[in-house]
Amino acid sequence: EHPCIERPVGTPRPIATYVVIALSGFCALGAEVVWTHVLSLLLGGTAYTFSIILAVFLVGLGLGSGIGSVIAREGKRLDRALGVCQLLLVGAIAWASYGLAESLPYWPVDPSLSKDPWLTFQIDLARCAWVVLPGAILWGASFPLALAAATSPGQDPGRLAGSVYAANTLGAIAGSLAFSMILIPCLGTQGSERVMIVVAAIASVLAMTAGRARHELAVAGFLRLSSFLRSCILITGLVVMAAIPAIWTAKPIPPGLVAYGRYLPTRTSLADVLYVGEGMNATIAVTQLDNDITSFHVCGKVEASTEPADMRLQRMLGHLSALVHPRPRSVLVVGCGAGVTAGSFLVHPEVERVVLCEIEPLIPKVVSRYFARENYDLIKDPRVQIVCDDARHYILTTREKFDVITSDPIHPWVKGSAALYTEEYFDLCKQRLNPGGVVTQWVPLYESRLDVVKSEIATFFTAFPEGTIWSNDIDGEGYDVVLLGRTEPLKIDIDGLQQRLDREDHRRVVESLAEVKFRQATDLLATYAGRGPDLADWLGDAQLNTDL
């Protein structure tokens, strides 16, 4: 710092301002991660949810920047203004936590009543603004206040703006990584919100005390120093008094919200919640109804259950894939779910290796506790290897080839799942098949539209022109289907398949099929619903789903 340049009294040293704005960025991106984590339960885990949250957050930042710029023009006690802004963030974070846990989940909104996406969009915007906007405005105001507080006579404005922006950006990067990869998995969203409150309080104290530090300590004398220390103690005490109630206000996610998501307000009865856990990529729950039906929920949506229809589907994905292959030795299963699909392969004596690719590490640990009977305790089976990775990345990078590739039921409605229904994905699967290999894919008929279903089927048949469709019907009504493709045309010897099931080493396969009402080979084969060439005319106007 040039000796001829005198920094105005009450302006904090740049280093302190840089630390404050870095902590502000840390909390801002951390809050966006945490709030997206919770709001995705409420609004649904779709790609649109993140877009809505981001839009509201950016609007708040813009409004806050404008307000902060007006205050900064006054040029009076900017250190205190920045500190007060951080102190208000303590309350804003507490407000968001309370709203997410105690208010928004119980708004009497039934999203299934309206088929108008614009109405639903407006409601979702209002709900996001209710919790996101106050904090976003304050974080937006922090930047111009920090920029003005760090300004000194003779300083290069471009260098100053770049330095403050760099500090804010580095803090934001650290916040996004810390909250998504460490704090949420270790402390949960409630603990993460408390960390944000503490960090905002520290930033507030630092901003309000650092401004006086240089001036007071530059003036010799014990009285000046003692006055400064008393001011610091007073400010710290006031901030702590504000932070303690805010920390207490931070609430955990309601278990019902994890289980039922956006439909929680309209539920007339709730199942017993056996488990709730927050992982790196998903929030999961396990519930049980009075009729002993156990359900596995991911981000507010049922992904698997012991309902007869769901068990039948999951067993179909496993057994159908294994039985149409003459000797399935290696299997790749995308997604764990309740583990029933992957576990179905373990009763087949030919299977030597099952690779289970799951993006959320917490899920296999949970299913091993609550669905061990249904999935044949697959976690403890030495033939099973669990790979914690994105399925697209794993299939793209592995050199291993498989006899069977299938996936647990993953609804394309969920954010990111559509990448498992694209033409490029099916081509990748084809490249990872051994000669005579089999690929199966679930396609839901519920919570979907006809054009979406046609797109999914047509895309699959583009990669596997001789593919077939197998139906999982409930009381004669289509519920969902299984698509099956091979590198060669499918030929099934019904008598040979029945003889295979009659062998003693296939006794566990027969028992597993019988549990879902498939008592002989013809029962399973009776689910056949058609093949690709027969549906060419019906699929003629279908839009292919690609990565582009």
Side-chain angles (χ1 to χ4, degrees):
E1 189 172 313
H2 197 279
C4 295
I5 297 177
E6 181 180 355
R7 185 178 301 276
V9 176
T11 303
R13 291 175 63 89
I15 185 63
T17 305
Y18 294 152
V19 173
V20 170
I21 199 62
L23 294 177
S24 179
F26 179 87
C27 287
L29 261 291
E32 191 169 358
V33 171
V34 172
W35 295 344
T36 301
H37 208 78
V38 182
L39 283 169
S40 63
L41 301 175
L42 187 67
L43 309 183
T46 70
Y48 305 106
T49 294
F50 178 73
S51 301
I52 293 172
I53 298 170
L54 180 61
V56 174
F57 202 88
L58 292 177
V59 168
L61 291 178
L63 291 173
S65 296
I67 296 171
S69 298
V70 172
I71 298 174
R73 290 193 187 100
E74 298 295 327
K76 297 178 181 179
R77 305 313 302 259
L78 297 174
D79 54 326
R80 290 187 179 181
L82 180 59
V84 170
C85 190
Q86 298 303 305
L87 182 59
L88 291 175
L89 276 166
V90 170
I93 296 169
W95 163 258
S97 176
Y98 177 83
L100 289 170
E102 302 290 341
S103 175
L104 285 187
Y106 305 104
W107 280 19
V109 177
D110 186 352
S112 64
L113 292 179
S114 173
K115 300 301 181 182
D116 184 357
W118 285 106
L119 177 60
T120 306
F121 181 76
Q122 293 167 17
I123 294 174
D124 290 346
L125 274 176
R127 290 191 283 184
C128 284
W130 183 253
V131 296
V132 173
L133 208 54
I137 291 174
L138 291 169
W139 277 307
S142 296
F143 188 83
L145 290 175
L147 191 62
T151 303
S152 61
Q155 192 170 10
D156 180 8
R159 183 175 182 179
L160 171 67
S163 299
V164 175
Y165 186 80
N168 186 248
T169 302
L170 289 175
I173 294 172
S176 63
L177 294 176
F179 279 88
S180 60
M181 302 183 68
I182 300 174
L183 293 177
I184 291 179
C186 295
L187 304 178
T189 52
Q190 181 188 26
S192 299
E193 287 164 335
R194 288 175 172 173
V195 169
M196 285 190 288
I197 290 172
V198 171
V199 172
I202 292 173
S204 176
V205 171
L206 182 61
M208 286 191 283
T209 58
R212 294 189 60 182
R214 183 171 182 268
H215 174 68
E216 298 287 358
L217 297 178
V219 179
F222 176 76
L223 292 178
R224 287 286 191 180
L225 178 59
S226 62
S227 174
F228 168 69
L229 291 177
R230 285 196 302 270
S231 298
C232 289
I233 293 172
L234 178 61
I235 291 171
T236 303
L238 291 174
V239 172
V240 170
M241 289 176 62
I244 289 176
I247 291 174
W248 179 82
T249 303
K251 303 293 184 181
I253 303 176
L257 180 61
V258 181
Y260 300 108
R262 55 188 182 145
Y263 294 104
L264 175 62
T266 61
R267 297 284 301 191
T268 56
S269 63
L270 300 178
D272 294 330
V273 180
L274 306 180
Y275 174 87
V276 172
E278 296 179 84
M280 187 181 302
N281 301 294
T283 304
I284 64 177
V286 178
T287 63
Q288 190 172 58
L289 294 169
D290 294 336
N291 56 0
D292 292 332
I293 297 297
T294 305
S295 300
F296 178 67
H297 309 254
V298 178
C299 294
K301 186 174 186 348
V302 177
E303 286 290 330
S305 76
T306 56
E307 287 271 5
D310 290 341
M311 287 296 296
R312 174 184 166 107
L313 169 69
Q314 294 165 97
R315 292 282 168 83
M316 276 183 66
L317 284 165
H319 293 311
L320 184 64
S321 305
L323 290 173
V324 299
H325 193 287
R327 192 180 178 188
R329 288 173 294 182
S330 59
V331 178
L332 170 64
V333 181
V334 174
C336 181
V340 178
T341 300
S344 299
F345 290 99
L346 299 179
V347 297
H348 290 264
E350 304 94 345
V351 173
E352 301 172 356
R353 172 172 166 77
V354 176
V355 177
L356 180 56
C357 189
E358 171 57 53
I359 195 171
E360 174 50 61
L362 183 61
I363 292 179
K365 299 177 184 178
V366 174
V367 303
S368 64
R369 295 168 53 189
Y370 295 98
F371 296 92
R373 187 185 70 82
E374 289 80 10
N375 62 36
Y376 304 109
D377 212 1
L378 84 161
I379 301 298
K380 297 181 180 179
D381 196 298
R383 293 173 291 173
V384 177
Q385 177 189 358
I386 298 176
V387 176
C388 295
D389 195 1
D390 174 73
R392 287 289 297 262
H393 178 263
Y394 177 76
I395 294 176
L396 181 64
T397 56
T398 185
R399 296 183 179 180
E400 185 175 1
K401 291 192 174 184
F402 302 90
D403 295 317
V404 175
I405 297 178
T406 188
S407 64
D408 199 72
I410 304 174
H411 205 292
W413 175 83
V414 178
K415 178 184 67 176
S417 299
L420 303 179
Y421 288 81
T422 66
E423 183 178 357
E424 291 82 357
Y425 170 73
F426 294 133
D427 286 336
L428 283 175
C429 291
K430 185 190 296 186
Q431 296 171 20
R432 293 294 175 264
L433 285 179
N434 289 318
V438 175
V439 171
T440 50
Q441 178 69 43
W442 173 68
V443 172
L445 303 182
Y446 63 93
E447 292 186 355
S448 192
R449 301 193 312 266
L450 178 61
D451 59 330
V452 175
V453 173
K454 291 173 68 173
S455 173
E456 292 161 356
I457 295 175
T459 302
F460 184 85
F461 286 160
T462 300
F464 301 97
E466 297 294 328
T468 52
I469 301 178
W470 306 76
S471 176
N472 179 35
D473 292 343
I474 300 178
D475 298 328
E477 295 184 5
Y479 183 69
D480 42 27
V481 298
V482 174
L483 306 180
L484 186 148
R486 295 188 73 219
T487 52
E488 296 86 15
L490 177 63
K491 295 181 181 180
I492 298 177
D493 180 358
I494 300 178
D495 294 334
L497 181 57
Q498 186 60 56
Q499 292 174 6
R500 182 174 166 186
L501 291 174
D502 290 340
R503 298 203 313 249
E504 179 60 26
D505 60 355
H506 277 66
R507 178 177 56 83
R508 294 182 66 200
V509 178
V510 174
E511 293 174 351
S512 181
L513 287 168
E515 289 179 3
V516 291
K517 310 303 183 187
F518 294 129
R519 305 191 184 282
Q520 53 188 354
T522 53
D523 293 337
L524 178 61
L525 298 179
T527 63
Y528 172 79
R531 63 191 186 100
D534 298 334
L535 300 175
D537 292 338
W538 181 65
L539 297 174
D541 61 344
Q543 181 178 356
L544 298 182
N545 183 28
T546 68
D547 290 342
L548 301 179

